Amino acid sequence: MHDPIAQESPDSDGAMHLRTHFLRRLAHDIASPTGVTLTVLEELATADRPRPELFAMARRSLKRLIRLSEHLALVAELENGTVEPELAATDLRALTKQALDDALSIDGRKDVVATCSLPGSPLVTAADPRLLLVVFREVIGNGLRLATSRVEVSVESTGKVVSIRVEDDGPGFSDDARESLGERFVRRSSQRGLGLSLSMGIQLVRTHGGTLSIETSRLPPGRRGTRGAAVVISLPSTSNDVTPAGDSA
């Protein structure tokens, strides 16, 4: 089995650097929400009245920890080649809306406006909704974390292909980041986290016969004057006559 952290020999300086860098990021991503949750619990223990805003902070922090554990488990499965999508007729319109709601509950910000443009009828494909939800949620979450003021999510159908497009007005991707897009732990400029989302997303989308690509955002430049990124997920569609999983016949 090859090393999920580095492709080099475990004794090489490059592999050691990547391993150390990864562990530092992992420690930070665990410590940050854990620290917030602990602080909230201590505040609630001495509060003399209900504090719903503190409960909201704790809930968000715990969701971040759960997300991190899900990501690490999925990466392990991908490295071992044990990810097998359980395909079902899936409405990508509804899945995108759910992903946006989930992402907003964790990464939503008061200074960033998120809009969503969805078609009026279902857009169905054979997919594993659990796996695609992870991809959609993380792509949208990255946009929310990095945007300066705006994120736009849209779903479009062009013949036999459904495209989910997530645009932001953040820092965009450097040329180096674009070239290493499929590699583990590569992050956008100023991006927080372990850099797992896009590499994991590319692999999961490929298991569905689709592609994940990066373009320059069509949104106006953000407050920092930069053109953001557009992440485009393209998936094959099936007949809209197929009933999505969970819907009545």
Side-chain angles (χ1 to χ4, degrees):
M1 183 189 306
H2 60 83
D3 191 333
I5 298 177
Q7 304 297 322
E8 305 171 69
S9 165
D11 297 327
S12 70
D13 291 340
M16 184 61 70
H17 174 74
L18 284 174
R19 191 184 304 276
T20 301
H21 198 39
F22 166 74
L23 291 174
R24 284 175 178 167
R25 289 183 190 170
L26 180 59
H28 175 271
D29 280 14
I30 292 174
S32 182
T34 303
V36 170
T37 304
L38 179 59
T39 299
V40 166
L41 291 175
E42 290 173 345
E43 289 283 340
L44 289 173
T46 58
D48 56 0
R49 59 183 176 82
R51 299 288 302 276
E53 75 280 5
L54 293 182
F55 278 109
M57 288 175 60
R59 184 182 299 112
R60 177 175 288 204
S61 294
L62 290 174
K63 284 184 176 181
R64 285 179 175 146
L65 283 172
I66 292 170
R67 177 177 64 185
L68 176 59
S69 67
E70 290 175 345
H71 282 191
L72 292 174
L74 260 179
V75 167
E77 290 183 50
L78 287 168
E79 291 292 336
N80 289 327
T82 56
V83 173
E84 296 184 4
E86 298 180 5
L87 301 182
T90 302
D91 179 8
L92 296 177
R93 178 192 62 168
L95 198 67
T96 301
K97 180 61 169 63
Q98 181 183 349
L100 176 60
D101 291 342
D102 288 353
L104 285 170
S105 73
I106 300 176
D107 297 306
R109 293 161 45 199
K110 293 181 179 179
D111 59 340
V112 173
V113 175
T115 60
C116 189
S117 176
L118 300 174
S121 57
L123 295 174
V124 181
T125 191
D128 185 324
R130 178 184 69 90
L131 296 180
L132 283 188
L133 180 61
V134 170
V135 178
F136 292 4
R137 184 176 60 203
E138 288 315 302
V139 169
I140 296 171
N142 273 338
L144 290 170
R145 290 191 292 272
L146 292 167
T148 60
S149 63
R150 186 176 175 188
V151 172
E152 284 192 3
V153 181
S154 61
V155 181
E156 300 175 349
S157 176
T158 54
K160 295 184 178 181
V161 175
V162 178
S163 295
I164 297 87
R165 187 179 182 93
V166 180
E167 301 189 68
D168 64 63
D169 60 356
F173 283 87
S174 67
D175 291 340
D176 289 344
R178 288 174 186 262
E179 291 176 3
S180 55
L181 191 60
E183 298 178 15
R184 295 273 192 268
F185 319 119
V186 173
R187 304 183 300 169
R188 252 204 281 182
S189 174
S190 303
Q191 183 178 345
R192 293 173 291 177
L194 298 175
L196 297 174
S197 300
L198 288 179
S199 62
M200 180 177 65
I202 288 172
Q203 287 185 269
L204 292 176
V205 170
R206 282 176 180 166
T207 65
H208 290 81
T211 60
L212 187 154
S213 58
I214 300 297
E215 301 175 4
T216 300
S217 174
R218 298 177 296 197
L219 297 178
R223 288 194 295 264
R224 299 170 187 166
T226 57
R227 297 298 297 271
V231 179
V232 183
I233 300 167
S234 299
L235 294 161
S237 64
T238 56
S239 171
N240 284 349
D241 294 332
V242 178
T243 302
D247 286 2
S248 59

